[in-house]
Amino acid sequence: MGSSLRIFLRPERCINCYACEVACEKTHEGMGNIKVQGVPLVCLHCEVPPCITSCYRGALEIKEGIVVIRKDYCTNCGICVLSCPFGAIMVTEVERDGKKIPRIHKCDGCWERPYGFAVCALTCPSGAIGWERFEDAVVSKREKVYRLYLRG
Amino acid sequence: MRRLLINEKLCIGCYACYNACEHGVVRLNDEGYLRKISILEACREGCIYCKDICPTGAIAFVYEDFKVPQEILLAMASCVSCGLPMATEKMIEFLSKRVEHINLKVCPDCRRRSSQQA
Amino acid sequence: MRDPISSVVCPYCGAGCRFGLVIKDGRARDICYDSDHPVAQGALCPKGNSALDLLYHPDRLLFPYRRDSHGRRHRISWDEALKTISTKLLQIRSDFGPEAVGFLASAKVSNEENYLFQKLARIFGSPNIDHCARLCHAPSIVALSRSFGSGAMTNPIKDLENARCILIIGSNFAENHPVVSRWVWNARDRGAYIISVDPRVTPTTKMAHLHLMIRPGTDGLLLNAMMAQILREGLENRDFIRSRTEGFQELEPILRSVNIEKVSKQIGVPLGDIITAARRYANSSASSIIYCMGVTQHRSGTDFVASCANLALLCGHIGRSGAGVFPLRGQNNVQGASDMGALSEFLPGYVPVGDVERRRSIVSLWNQKDIPVGGLTITEMVDEILSGKIRALFVLGENPLVSDPSGAETERALSRLDLLVLEDIFPTETAELAHFVLPAAMWAEKSGSYTNTERRVQWSPKVLDPQGESKPDLWIIGNLGRWLGIWESIPTPEEVLREINKVVPLYGGITPERLLGRREGLIWPCPEENHPGSPILYVERFNRENGLAKFYPYDADRDATPTEEDTFSLITGRVVVHYNSGSITRRIEALSRYEPKLEVTIHPKDAEKLGIRAGDLVTVRGEREAVDAIAKISSQVREGSLFMPFHFPEANRLTPRDLDPLARIPSFKDAKCKISTKGT
């Protein structure tokens, strides 16, 4: 995965089929990082992520354009959850010794998965979620505007 | 005997020590718009996980007989959109010093919903 | 080292996606997305994503069992099961004749298994072989074979992106075949105009530029009105009509007499929208029609399909890239099961059973002189069970109790049978009535070829061992044939496919050797070994004898049935996370949590009138029965109509048994109902 890859959403394409949710949960041991309510919502891997500034432990880092949580540093304190402007950092409660413990998780671009690619983008039937190089995104946007202009 | 003491002025009421404590010494309960953190028993020897990870350095250990349990009550801020409690007021204050331009009055669930509707 | 990945065909809908199973220590561990696949490009819907939960579900049937008269289950051995079943079948044949046995094939098992099953039924002497295509696309097979010569999709799904205008009528593919939406979106991004005709607001109508929210059951009227408008403006393709079709002179006067203004009131759509739709469809350089069960599941389903074909022929939008008629099929092998002749009126390769010469030439390959004809369809079999003509039923992986109309009657019929044998993967509702239940292996546990909705034949290899004592369907059918004395040995899937190559000309060149080598499969017609397959049909000639297509006019006046006050028309359909009778998906928690209970959707105005609030338990009263459901209030339906997914046992207790006269499909999409809060 090159450093300039960016996740992109085409929310108008979403057909609310939950394929990404099911796939994400399957890949991340039941802790899904994407939520669909008419449109998919997943971490957009901001260039200056507020979650990284908010974390006092330095547990969030940018790895080749992907904002990931370093599990061994994270204290699950919940501060970054509040810092995300999109609400894309999720909390799931898990059981430990009879106690309910909150676990913080977010999209990791399926960093450690063998596909080398985010499953939500692979599985999305309608093409609402994708990854592309930043330069390509600019070009396709430009083409779209041009086509609209042609159509009048 | 070693016990854990939380500095009430510094504690912001996050989940860090509650998650880190493997012996269940730190207890955390949300009761409506109040978060209650309570220490009801003595600590095990040699364990310093919670002190290590506390965001504000509010945790200290003292050597004394465990007599009086400690209980900290923290007010929860409610989301201006859905009205449900989202986090303690102190957490939000702590966060507001670290990040800018984020609307901290709305809970993450509502932020997600509003960014999906937009 | 990486674990080996084996590519299999998805067991759910007819889109025919492939995915890889990552296998470690004899167990599938993960799913791998196949980005090169021509239909899906690696995409999978939620059902496909939960395929592993299906494989290792604790409810799976693992041993054959017999149910005694008290309903208790007794585990038996395979030999005992097959021996008793065959003895009983032979007994019934000698007592009541072979017509007293009915066979239901399945759209979810491979081509080879369907072929062998219909061969078994027909050599056994019973003409009563049918499968659930009767309940979804029988009108497509009948009407499209009649108009074009083949009852199948004309272009591949991928070709949709080349269309300049897409008319979606009675299809909610965004929920039923989610991967199709990727191609429609691509077309839209390339500037295509999308028209959707649907009585409901669905994720599919979201992608349309123009949504015609017609009254349920008026699709034929709308199509006629569109054609009339095209004629009125002279937008029809005269050259195409003259050179490639016949029968236009019969259609023309009917269309000329259509009063579009009146139709617009009848169907409840503004006149301007009908005219826009007609102009856009006729004027574009390549237009496609996608239709599905909203068109077929009606009393006049065959006529509606014929009207779709007429519209395509009128404008010459067929036989080119981007221009075609797309009936989307619902199950992974419903196209194949129809191709293999698991229908009462067709032999393998759509040879009508009435065609004596071709019939004889096929059965001579089976070493038979002749076979019986005039078999019954699924719904008719149920009637004949009640009248006592049919005494035994062999069901291959179907759940008629949930999927057939008028559930109460089906239940009464099935419990009257002398012998009901069910082969399935889960203990379904029908298994509660069966005398013998045989556990079948799942799709990844057996090899075979599957034909998807675009006629693509793909090989799905055996990658896992069957669990418990479950066996591949081919083994079960083959063994049963041995016990019945029909053949000596159990064939392998490859052997059966070679026989299909000989019997079915469409599959002539689709040999096991070729299929095994290519993941993307082959598209029939593929008559010879070196034929590359035919993605687009009717490029030069139609498959009818004279090479011309034929118009079959539909006189809409016949169907104008006024609705009574306070009677609702109930539309049944699918939701994205469930599949058909729900016997699979209702068990998978990852899916069923989205739609755990039966909900009935009602328009806010109707709800207000009847005092129904969201979440109330309501009673929906059909002609024969009443069922309870949870009310969901939404303007996704029209006033006066209700929507209910058919994945729950209750929904089909309300649907009527009215049949289309030609295709004999029940009218699932238009049941008359009353609704009230529970207890009033």
Side-chain angles (χ1 to χ4, degrees):
Chain A
M1 213 179 280
S3 59
S4 58
L5 269 181
R6 281 274 177 278
I7 193 163
F8 74 96
L9 301 174
R10 287 183 284 200
E12 74 281 0
R13 278 196 172 208
C14 180
I15 52 172
N16 216 9
C17 73
Y18 308 113
C20 48
E21 275 190 31
V22 174
C24 189
E25 269 176 38
K26 164 178 75 69
T27 338
H28 296 96
E29 289 88 36
M31 293 194 219
N33 300 322
I34 187 161
K35 282 274 177 301
V36 179
Q37 281 163 347
V39 294
L41 191 122
V42 67
C43 173
L44 295 171
H45 303 282
C46 316
E47 282 186 54
V48 188
C51 50
I52 291 193
T53 11
S54 81
C55 185
Y56 68 96
R57 293 271 294 176
L60 286 139
E61 60 173 351
I62 300 186
K63 251 188 191 171
E64 298 193 17
I66 309 291
V67 182
V68 289
I69 296 181
R70 291 150 84 181
K71 287 268 159 63
D72 42 346
Y73 284 79
C74 178
T75 63
N76 294 296
C77 65
I79 290 175
C80 57
V81 178
L82 287 171
S83 76
C84 179
F86 309 104
I89 301 180
M90 316 281 173
V91 186
T92 308
E93 289 200 330
V94 293
E95 286 260 336
R96 194 183 75 190
D97 307 337
K99 281 201 298 183
K100 284 233 163 114
I101 304 252
R103 280 273 163 275
I104 313 292
H105 51 98
K106 69 175 285 302
C107 169
D108 57 358
C110 295
W111 182 254
E112 288 163 354
R113 312 291 147 187
Y115 321 117
F117 218 68
V119 283
C120 53
L122 284 170
T123 199
C124 181
S126 64
I129 310 170
W131 290 82
E132 69 183 341
R133 281 172 49 229
F134 183 68
E135 299 81 45
D136 292 349
V138 173
V139 171
S140 69
K141 189 97 189 164
R142 206 179 286 147
E143 273 177 10
K144 206 170 174 180
V145 172
Y146 180 64
R147 211 176 293 134
L148 279 174
Y149 171 79
L150 277 185
R151 228 184 288 157
Chain B
M1 196 174 273
R2 198 170 79 126
R3 72 163 292 178
L4 194 156
L5 209 60
I6 298 177
N7 185 335
E8 294 189 22
K9 279 190 187 140
L10 292 178
C11 177
I12 56 168
C14 72
Y15 285 115
C17 53
Y18 170 68
N19 276 323
C21 185
E22 285 174 355
H23 311 295
V25 173
V26 182
R27 295 167 198 220
L28 188 146
N29 289 307
D30 281 350
E31 289 162 3
Y33 292 87
L34 271 184
R35 176 166 289 173
K36 197 167 83 181
I37 297 172
S38 37
I39 315 290
L40 301 177
E41 53 188 294
C43 277
R44 311 289 188 276
E45 284 301 326
C47 167
I48 50 158
Y49 285 135
C50 52
K51 185 176 188 317
D52 193 30
I53 52 118
C54 179
T56 52
I59 291 177
F61 294 106
V62 288
Y63 288 85
E64 60 173 33
D65 284 348
F66 190 90
K67 282 179 197 137
V68 194
Q70 188 183 15
E71 205 161 83
I72 302 173
L73 290 176
L74 291 145
M76 297 282 269
S78 56
C79 165
V80 289
S81 169
C82 64
L84 293 172
M86 58 166 175
T88 62
E89 280 170 356
K90 280 189 163 177
M91 256 171 105
I92 289 166
E93 198 193 318
F94 175 84
L95 190 58
S96 64
K97 287 174 194 151
R98 302 180 71 97
V99 291
E100 290 173 330
H101 313 301
I102 309 274
N103 183 1
L104 292 170
K105 286 178 182 152
V106 182
C107 71
D109 281 346
C110 290
R111 281 183 219 167
R112 195 181 306 147
R113 217 166 293 138
S114 67
S115 49
Q116 280 177 332
Q117 277 157 10
Chain C
M1 202 187 83
R2 278 193 151 184
D3 301 315
I5 297 168
S6 318
S7 173
V8 291
V9 177
C10 177
Y12 287 102
C13 80
C17 314
R18 278 194 98 109
F19 55 80
L21 286 176
V22 183
I23 294 173
K24 198 175 175 183
D25 309 329
R27 205 180 150 94
R29 304 281 165 173
D30 206 346
I31 282 177
C32 187
Y33 303 90
D34 183 351
S35 308
D36 300 331
H37 192 264
V39 180
Q41 293 187 325
L44 278 184
C45 70
K47 288 167 285 205
N49 268 306
S50 65
L52 294 188
D53 299 0
L54 164 64
L55 267 174
Y56 298 110
H57 199 280
D59 280 3
R60 268 194 69 171
L61 287 171
L62 297 177
F63 306 101
Y65 68 83
R66 175 171 62 84
R67 263 179 68 258
D68 63 16
S69 49
H70 304 290
R72 283 191 297 262
R73 297 170 174 193
H74 303 278
R75 188 178 151 184
I76 50 175
S77 73
W78 271 107
D79 273 356
E80 192 190 339
L82 290 167
K83 194 178 158 195
T84 340
I85 293 167
S86 54
T87 322
K88 286 200 172 182
L89 282 175
L90 291 171
Q91 184 66 40
I92 288 168
R93 180 165 75 171
S94 63
D95 287 356
F96 303 100
E99 301 83 36
V101 183
F103 290 87
L104 291 187
S106 171
K108 290 193 62 69
V109 303
S110 69
N111 287 328
E112 291 74 26
E113 287 154 350
N114 270 307
Y115 176 82
L116 202 67
F117 190 67
Q118 60 87 27
K119 186 174 159 186
L120 174 106
R122 285 179 164 136
I123 299 182
F124 179 78
S126 169
N128 307 321
I129 165 91
D130 209 17
H131 79 283
C132 60
R134 184 71 55 204
L135 307 176
C136 61
H137 269 297
S140 301
I141 299 172
V142 172
L144 293 185
S145 333
R146 196 169 73 155
S147 298
F148 299 155
S150 284
M153 235 158 99
T154 60
N155 300 35
I157 293 173
K158 191 178 191 309
D159 195 42
L160 276 172
E161 67 175 359
N162 300 324
R164 305 293 301 159
C165 172
I166 299 177
L167 172 67
I168 306 162
I169 176 160
S171 168
N172 181 11
F173 57 78
E175 294 204 59
N176 302 330
H177 314 85
V179 294
V180 176
S181 56
R182 128 189 317 254
W183 303 109
V184 175
W185 272 116
N186 284 357
R188 191 183 152 134
D189 282 358
R190 288 174 171 203
Y193 192 79
I194 318 280
I195 307 160
S196 177
V197 181
D198 199 314
R200 292 196 300 139
V201 177
T202 64
T204 314
T205 58
K206 190 179 130 185
M207 57 182 80
H209 294 97
L210 179 66
H211 177 198
L212 307 180
M213 209 161 166
I214 58 165
R215 284 210 179 93
T218 56
D219 312 66
L221 283 171
L222 172 77
L223 288 167
N224 267 2
M226 278 173 68
M227 285 188 272
Q229 182 64 28
I230 290 169
L231 273 189
R232 206 184 270 185
E233 299 192 15
L235 299 175
E236 74 274 22
N237 189 337
R238 284 272 163 197
D239 289 340
F240 187 89
I241 295 172
R242 203 177 310 118
S243 59
R244 307 268 321 255
T245 67
E246 60 185 8
F248 183 60
Q249 60 281 10
E250 285 155 46
L251 179 73
E252 198 172 4
I254 292 175
L255 294 184
R256 295 269 181 216
S257 67
V258 171
N259 182 343
I260 303 172
E261 290 75 15
K262 196 177 131 208
V263 171
S264 124
K265 285 200 191 78
Q266 275 176 318
I267 67 177
V269 165
L271 182 64
D273 285 357
I274 301 178
I275 295 173
T276 318
R279 283 186 189 153
R280 287 280 188 169
Y281 181 84
N283 277 336
S284 93
S285 56
S287 297
S288 288
I289 302 176
I290 301 177
Y291 77 85
C292 204
M293 277 141 73
V295 168
T296 58
Q297 289 184 335
H298 284 291
R299 227 160 286 139
S300 311
T302 313
D303 291 321
F304 290 177
V305 177
S307 301
C308 291
N310 289 348
L311 179 61
L313 292 174
L314 187 73
C315 302
H317 284 317
I318 198 156
R320 281 177 287 126
S321 175
V325 179
F326 295 73
L328 291 174
R329 314 293 301 253
Q331 306 196 50
N332 62 344
N333 201 30
V334 64
Q335 183 70 49
S338 311
D339 296 344
M340 291 304 121
L343 288 168
S344 60
E345 71 263 48
F346 289 116
L347 285 170
Y350 299 105
V351 173
V353 284
D355 189 336
V356 183
E357 256 176 50
R358 287 167 76 193
R359 182 179 79 219
R360 293 243 163 98
S361 77
I362 284 181
V363 296
S364 68
L365 290 170
W366 301 343
N367 299 326
Q368 299 289 312
K369 277 213 183 85
D370 204 355
I371 49 158
V373 295
L376 303 168
T377 62
I378 292 186
T379 30
E380 289 166 332
M381 278 189 217
V382 171
D383 294 337
E384 293 302 324
I385 294 169
L386 289 170
S387 74
K389 266 194 196 156
I390 287 191
R391 321 288 299 200
L393 199 62
F394 193 106
V395 183
L396 185 71
E398 294 212 354
N399 191 4
L401 205 56
V402 178
S403 58
D404 285 16
S406 303
E409 211 155 318
T410 317
E411 185 170 355
R412 205 152 52 85
L414 293 184
S415 46
R416 274 192 57 167
L417 283 165
D418 295 346
L419 175 67
L420 175 60
V421 186
L422 177 72
E423 214 182 298
D424 213 323
I425 52 175
F426 285 126
T428 59
E429 286 77 3
T430 309
E432 297 301 310
L433 300 172
H435 301 110
F436 291 92
V437 178
L438 309 176
M442 278 205 199
W443 90 107
E445 298 164 355
K446 60 185 186 185
S447 38
S449 65
Y450 296 85
T451 310
N452 81 346
T453 178
E454 49 172 17
R455 300 170 276 116
R456 189 185 295 278
V457 187
Q458 301 179 94
W459 188 263
S460 183
K462 172 179 184 249
V463 295
L464 296 164
D465 287 324
Q467 287 168 41
E469 279 183 20
S470 64
K471 294 281 183 195
D473 299 273
L474 200 73
W475 184 91
I476 302 173
I477 302 161
N479 244 321
L480 185 73
R482 247 174 35 164
W483 280 103
L484 289 170
I486 292 174
W487 46 67
E488 301 284 295
S489 60
I490 310 164
T492 63
E494 287 85 358
E495 282 165 16
V496 182
L497 186 54
R498 272 191 210 104
E499 187 177 327
I500 295 171
N501 295 154
K502 276 185 231 144
V503 174
V504 186
L506 298 172
Y507 283 68
I510 306 179
T511 58
E513 291 77 25
R514 285 184 83 189
L515 271 193
L516 275 165
R518 44 175 78 203
R519 241 179 348 168
E520 74 278 13
L522 281 161
I523 297 186
W524 68 252
C526 176
E528 284 136 31
E529 279 273 356
N530 46 11
H531 193 284
S534 328
I536 297 179
L537 290 178
Y538 322 131
V539 177
E540 272 152 21
R541 68 189 299 278
F542 286 91
N543 285 359
R544 294 176 73 245
E545 267 168 23
N546 55 6
L548 299 177
K550 189 161 184 209
F551 286 101
Y552 279 87
Y554 161 58
D555 197 354
D557 289 341
R558 227 172 20 158
D559 271 4
T561 44
T563 26
E564 291 168 49
E565 282 289 311
D566 79 333
T567 310
F568 289 87
S569 66
L570 172 75
I571 306 168
T572 60
R574 287 186 178 134
V575 292
V576 65
V577 290
H578 281 305
Y579 183 72
N580 286 10
S581 79
S583 59
I584 295 171
T585 48
R586 270 184 283 131
R587 288 172 211 274
I588 297 178
E589 207 266 325
L591 299 172
S592 63
R593 67 192 154 140
Y594 294 110
E595 297 273 342
K597 291 203 179 89
L598 177 68
E599 285 183 328
V600 56
T601 314
I602 181 168
H603 192 274
K605 278 191 186 161
D606 291 329
E608 203 188 323
K609 231 182 284 169
L610 296 166
I612 295 170
R613 282 162 305 160
D616 279 0
L617 195 62
V618 291
T619 307
V620 186
R621 225 173 294 274
E623 281 170 15
R624 289 187 172 83
E625 265 190 277
V627 302
D628 294 340
I630 294 165
K632 179 180 167 189
I633 295 173
S634 157
S635 48
Q636 286 175 342
V637 292
R638 283 181 65 96
E639 272 180 70
S641 50
L642 305 171
F643 173 76
M644 211 186 243
F646 57 52
H647 312 291
F648 299 88
E650 290 90 355
N652 272 329
R653 300 209 157 237
L654 301 170
T655 45
R657 299 186 71 82
D658 309 349
L659 299 187
D660 175 281
L662 283 165
R664 292 179 280 183
I665 188 170
S667 160
F668 281 114
K669 288 280 188 269
D670 196 7
K672 294 282 167 276
C673 281
K674 288 185 180 175
I675 184 168
S676 56
T677 40
K678 171 104 173 143
T680 55

